[in-house]
Amino acid sequence: MAVEQIPRRAEKRRDWRRVLGPGLIAGASDDDPSGIATYSQAGAQLGFAISWTMLFTYPLMVAIQEISARIGRTTGRGIAGNIRRHYPNWMLQTIVVLVLTANTINIGADIGAMGDAVKELIGGPHLLYVVAIAAISALLQIFVTYERYARVLRWLTVALFAYFGTLMMVRVPWGEAARGLLLPTFSADLAFWTTVVAILGTTISPYLFFWQASQEVEDVRADPAARPLVRAPGQAPREFERIRLDTVIGMAFSNLVALAIIITTAATLHAHGVTEIETSAQAASALRPLAGDFAFTIFALGVIGTGLLAVPVLAGSAAYALAEARRWPEGLARKPRKAKAFYATIAVATLLGVLINFSPVSPIKALYWSAVINGVAAVPIMAMMMHMTANKRVMGDFPISDGLRIVGWCATAAMAMAVAAMIVGLGR
């Protein structure tokens, strides 16, 4: 088959403007307010002894996110779209329900945390900030063009540097921190395994699978020279190289930020006996007397910035999953009038997230448990994706390599074992 030629101008644009795209945004949005709360609680409760999970999860999340991206780029369809075409309907509906449930809870928790952070910084009514933040997020997704909106999301990744700044302001016993990072420790305690599942659930999250696959599809639609790889195999070497670089850098950024949060809270909160942190805003407040006002301000601003990045990814991935399952026109590159149900899903998911903050459901508990729910939901979704990548009807001549398949199944097994350990602990 002839290799499809790519115009030099388009190739240059892809090299400089799109190497860091879906993978970087997925990695950065992984450190959402729910994730910040999870990492803060982990550091406060377990200290440096939980740091090793960041090294452990890195290759696993790189593999599973690269697999997600390859599914989208190879087939020209998102994950739900491929499940709909090649697998039983009950399987599709189950997975979509899991994604919608986890994402909606996550949206509510993240918006609530952002509202708390704004209140901590400037005072005022928390619920008003919740409504305003949700409205801004939904309106940007619906009315800003995809190309411009993607640029906004890339710039929002800068907010994550706040946590490196906070780390620089605290005194860290680096020898103890290095031992916690390089020497894994385990415990039979239920709280330990719940924390491990929460960490796995917020680093290896289902919404990131759907988002990165669908953004690869969006990028194909946005580039006149690009085609799904099953129809343009000559583009595969360059695209797979780009996907790997994008994913490796994006996930490294994500885990370095998470590690900075764990070390910061371990060196300050855990070291001073503060072991219960239930929200990212509470973590920021707890830092104030221990690390100073400036550290508190930077940490709180980071919560707001990461939330503005993560909420659109959460709502967008829910909309992609539902629209692909229902065969609705979908995509942020489409005008609202051309994809009404898709954009309605974004609006409704965001609205339901807001309503969680007005309900008796505690957003404090939702923030932490949303990560646990993500961990439980990820297991069947990851198993489905791994089967999909070995299916020639889905991937054509581009099944994933044996090495990537092994690491992908290791990620799936690690998530399943952590969830099983937590369930066993709950049954005691």
Side-chain angles (χ1 to χ4, degrees), residues 9 27 144 163 209 227 261 278 289 294 298 335 356 364 411:
R9 183 178 298 175
V144 176
Y163 298 105
F209 315 157
R227 298 288 185 276
I261 295 169
E278 295 179 304
F294 192 51
I298 292 178
K335 299 291 185 183
I356 289 175
I364 292 176

Side-chain angles (χ1 to χ4, degrees), residues 289-311:
L290 301 173
D293 287 341
F294 192 51
F296 154 76
T297 301
I298 292 178
F299 199 96
L301 288 173
V303 171
I304 298 167
T306 57
L308 289 172
L309 173 63
V311 169

Side-chain angles (χ1 to χ4, degrees), residues 29-386:
S29 65
D30 198 20
D31 294 315
D32 65 331
S34 175
I36 294 167
T38 301
Y39 301 135
S40 298
Q41 173 61 21
Q45 183 179 22
L46 301 172
F48 300 114
I50 199 67
S51 300
W52 63 269
T53 55
M54 292 299 101
L55 278 183
F56 174 73
T57 58
Y58 176 66
L60 306 183
M61 64 193 297
V62 167
I64 206 69
Q65 288 302 134
E66 182 177 343
I67 288 167
S68 304
R70 284 186 177 226
I71 290 172
R73 186 64 182 87
T74 300
T75 66
R77 296 182 181 88
I79 292 171
N82 278 296
I83 295 173
R84 176 177 56 77
R85 287 174 60 88
H86 301 288
Y87 295 91
N89 184 62
W90 66 265
M91 193 175 293
L92 171 66
Q93 301 306 325
T94 300
I95 286 176
V96 170
V97 167
L98 285 172
V99 171
L100 290 175
T101 302
N103 284 21
T104 300
I105 295 172
N106 218 147
I107 289 169
D110 282 356
I111 292 174
M114 294 161 70
D116 281 337
V118 175
K119 181 180 178 180
E120 291 286 343
L121 286 170
I122 63 175
H126 162 253
L127 292 178
L128 176 62
Y129 299 141
V130 166
V131 173
I133 289 166
I136 291 170
S137 177
L139 289 173
L140 283 173
Q141 288 181 89
I142 294 171
F143 294 109
V144 176
T145 63
Y146 170 72
E147 185 177 358
R148 186 172 298 174
Y149 190 63
R151 288 200 299 268
V152 170
L153 292 180
R154 286 191 189 96
W155 277 109
L156 281 173
T157 62
V158 175
L160 291 174
F161 284 98
Y163 298 105
F164 298 125
T166 305
L167 178 61
M168 293 169 60
M169 297 177 194
V170 302
R171 181 174 297 176
V172 178
W174 288 108
E176 186 179 349
R179 284 193 298 273
L181 180 65
L182 300 174
L183 299 176
T185 56
F186 299 90
S187 169
D189 186 63
L190 172 62
F192 171 83
W193 285 106
T194 302
T195 300
V196 170
V197 172
I199 288 174
L200 287 171
T202 201
T203 54
I204 306 174
S205 299
Y207 73 89
L208 298 178
F209 315 157
F210 285 83
W211 172 264
Q212 191 161 350
S214 295
Q215 290 308 290
E216 288 292 338
V217 177
E218 290 277 20
D219 284 349
V220 169
R221 292 172 181 167
D223 187 347
R227 298 288 185 276
L229 299 183
V230 291
R231 300 207 315 247
Q235 297 180 10
R238 184 194 60 191
E239 289 303 298
F240 287 158
E241 182 181 1
R242 174 191 60 79
I243 286 171
R244 172 153 301 181
L245 181 61
D246 185 22
T247 305
V248 165
I249 292 175
M251 299 308 119
F253 189 32
S254 173
N255 272 28
L256 285 172
V257 170
L259 183 61
I261 295 169
I262 290 174
I263 291 176
T264 298
T265 52
T268 53
L269 307 185
H270 181 80
H272 289 82
V274 180
T275 59
E276 290 298 324
I277 295 296
E278 295 179 304
T279 71
S280 48
Q282 187 180 341
S285 295
L287 281 173
R288 177 177 257 160
L290 301 173
D293 287 341
F294 192 51
F296 154 76
T297 301
I298 292 178
F299 199 96
L301 288 173
V303 171
I304 298 167
T306 57
L308 289 172
L309 173 63
V311 169
V313 174
L314 285 159
S317 60
Y320 280 116
L322 184 59
E324 290 170 358
R326 304 294 297 176
R327 301 189 183 188
W328 294 337
E330 43 81 20
L332 292 170
R334 295 181 187 270
K335 299 291 185 183
R337 66 179 180 275
K338 299 290 186 180
K340 294 178 182 177
F342 172 79
Y343 285 106
T345 303
I346 290 175
V348 170
T350 306
L351 176 61
L352 291 175
V354 170
L355 293 178
I356 289 175
N357 291 274
F358 285 84
S359 73
V361 176
S362 169
I364 292 176
K365 294 298 182 184
L367 195 64
Y368 184 79
W369 284 100
S370 64
V372 176
I373 292 169
N374 272 323
V376 174
V379 177
I381 297 173
M382 291 167 71
M384 181 80 268
M385 288 169 52
M386 294 309 302

